Amino acid sequence: MKSLTSLPVWPLAAPIVGWLFLGGASFGFGGAYQILLVIGLIASVLAAVYHAEVVAHRIGEPYGTLVLALAVTLIEVALIVSLMLAGGPETTGLARDTVFAAIMIILNGIVGICLLLGSGRHGEQRFGLLGVSASLATLAAIAILTLVLPNYTSSAAGPFYSSSQLIFIAIISLVLYGTFVLVQTVRHRDYFLPKDAVGDEEVHAEPPTPTVAWISAVALLVCLGAVVLLAKSLAPALETAIAAMGAPKTLVGIVIAAIVLLPEGLAAVRAARANRLQTSLNLALGSALASIGLTIPAVVVVSLATGLTITLGLDIKSTVLLLLSLMVATLSLGTGRTTVMQGTVHLVIFAVYLFTTIVP
């Protein structure tokens, strides 16, 4: 196949449309105009997926999945920090809710859909066990230290860390994530390299030209910027709608995480359907690690700089679901082979998480 030498019009036009709709929001349009903002958001997300895949194809694995994971995490950090600064004390648990939601969406929602659709189409799927094991071990350590341990420390009463503990846990998170990136990209890069799927034209296609890759890289940043600002613009309407439904405020964190993870989720599902489960799991687990490993330190910095208290400890129900998710992920991804059974189990846990959030 020939190398990609030009880009279609739609992935270049989509973020421009999103930014134009965002500009219209500054005139105070309401009501039906929110629908246009949603359309702009979805178009920007789809365009971001396209450009991320172009860049990933150019630079190869596992760097491509790492680029998308970092880009998506930057969206999450920017969105959480901006909402925290705008919302004040009422948003003390937003970072916790969003990070926890991201982990549950990835470990159970995205991974479940990937395993179910991929195995449903190709039967049994295989992946490299060493890379996935390293990802799960790192994710389990960071998740428990940041979201569970605060409930059992005594320096600060309640689900909080003291200032010194916050600094320490932020450093620990960065050390763990930094070591994981080093292992993924340098020391043991082969653990994360997928085996080419036989007959998959996307795998064997020539990479795009450097010019096209650079254009997509810039367009990716433009798309992600549009996603952040459009999501922020829709946040007040979202909070109002959730309050009108009588649903708990934690649902806001779930919606934010779902919007932020949509580009990576779509890319992971496409990879699984193309019988590239290793790439799919690299995307999913790498995004979960980047989400918690980078978001928590960023939020800690904001907390210490502004004096805002951040709530990190999960309640008992959420702790049980987190531990169950980590245990099931370790078991279902512990053999290097997956079927529709594992996908179904993950999706059932995800359904339970959503239902018990709305009906606690």
Side-chain angles (χ1 to χ4, degrees):
M1 296 184 65
K2 295 183 179 179
S3 175
L4 181 64
T5 57
S6 61
L7 292 169
V9 174
W10 77 265
L12 297 175
I16 297 176
V17 171
W19 280 98
L20 289 175
F21 287 163
L22 186 63
S26 63
F27 292 101
F29 297 137
Y33 193 80
Q34 301 292 319
I35 299 176
L36 292 180
L37 294 181
V38 173
I39 293 174
L41 177 62
I42 295 173
S44 297
V45 166
L46 294 176
V49 173
Y50 181 89
H51 291 300
E53 290 183 341
V54 171
V55 174
H57 195 188
R58 177 65 195 180
I59 63 180
E61 290 294 335
Y63 303 108
T65 56
L66 180 62
V67 167
L68 184 53
L70 291 175
V72 168
T73 303
L74 287 176
I75 294 179
E76 184 178 11
V77 171
L79 198 52
I80 291 174
V81 170
S82 61
L83 291 177
M84 281 181 64
L85 294 176
E90 295 183 0
T91 58
T92 59
L94 180 63
R96 175 203 59 193
D97 295 339
T98 304
V99 168
F100 176 58
I103 294 175
M104 296 300 291
I105 290 171
I106 291 167
L107 274 188
N108 296 307
I110 294 176
V111 169
I113 292 173
C114 289
L115 298 185
L116 186 64
L117 295 183
S119 297
R121 188 173 187 180
H122 301 284
E124 182 183 85
Q125 288 188 301
R126 302 189 180 192
F127 58 89
L129 187 57
L130 296 176
V132 171
S133 296
S135 302
L136 286 175
T138 310
L139 178 60
I142 300 180
I144 298 302
L145 291 175
T146 56
L147 299 178
V148 178
L149 187 59
N151 291 321
Y152 302 98
T153 55
S154 56
S155 295
F160 308 101
Y161 274 135
S162 65
S163 297
S164 60
Q165 290 172 335
L166 279 176
I167 296 172
F168 180 74
I169 211 66
I171 294 172
I172 290 298
S173 299
L174 289 174
V175 168
L176 286 172
Y177 182 69
T179 304
F180 172 78
V181 171
L182 176 66
V183 168
Q184 184 185 34
T185 59
V186 181
R187 296 298 297 271
H188 300 286
R189 180 171 173 253
D190 54 307
Y191 290 177
F192 302 86
L193 293 178
K195 295 180 179 180
D196 289 354
V198 178
D200 183 5
E201 293 185 355
E202 289 188 20
V203 172
H204 300 288
E206 290 293 326
T209 63
T211 301
V212 169
W214 276 109
I215 292 174
S216 281
V218 174
L220 175 61
L221 296 177
V222 175
C223 291
L224 296 178
V227 171
V228 171
L229 296 177
L230 284 167
K232 183 179 178 181
S233 180
L234 288 167
L238 171 65
E239 293 176 353
T240 301
I242 289 175
M245 291 168 53
K249 293 185 66 176
T250 52
L251 192 59
V252 176
I254 296 177
V255 175
I256 291 174
I259 292 172
V260 168
L261 293 171
L262 189 55
E264 201 152 32
L266 292 175
V269 170
R270 283 192 58 185
R273 284 179 55 82
N275 204 20
R276 291 183 282 122
L277 188 59
Q278 181 70 60
T279 297
S280 181
L281 293 176
N282 285 348
L283 278 164
L285 298 179
S287 179
L289 279 167
S291 174
I292 191 169
L294 298 178
T295 301
I296 295 299
V299 171
V300 167
V301 171
V302 173
S303 172
L304 295 175
T306 61
L308 286 175
T309 301
I310 57 172
T311 306
L312 288 180
L314 295 170
D315 58 25
I316 295 177
K317 179 199 70 176
S318 298
T319 300
V320 170
L321 288 172
L322 175 62
L323 294 176
L324 175 63
S325 300
L326 292 171
M327 181 182 70
V328 169
T330 302
L331 293 173
S332 63
L333 301 178
T335 62
R337 301 180 180 183
T338 59
T339 65
V340 293
M341 185 71 250
Q342 287 95 331
T344 302
V345 172
H346 282 278
L347 286 176
V348 166
I349 296 174
F350 185 60
V352 170
Y353 162 64
L354 291 179
F355 183 79
T356 55
T357 299
I358 298 174
V359 186

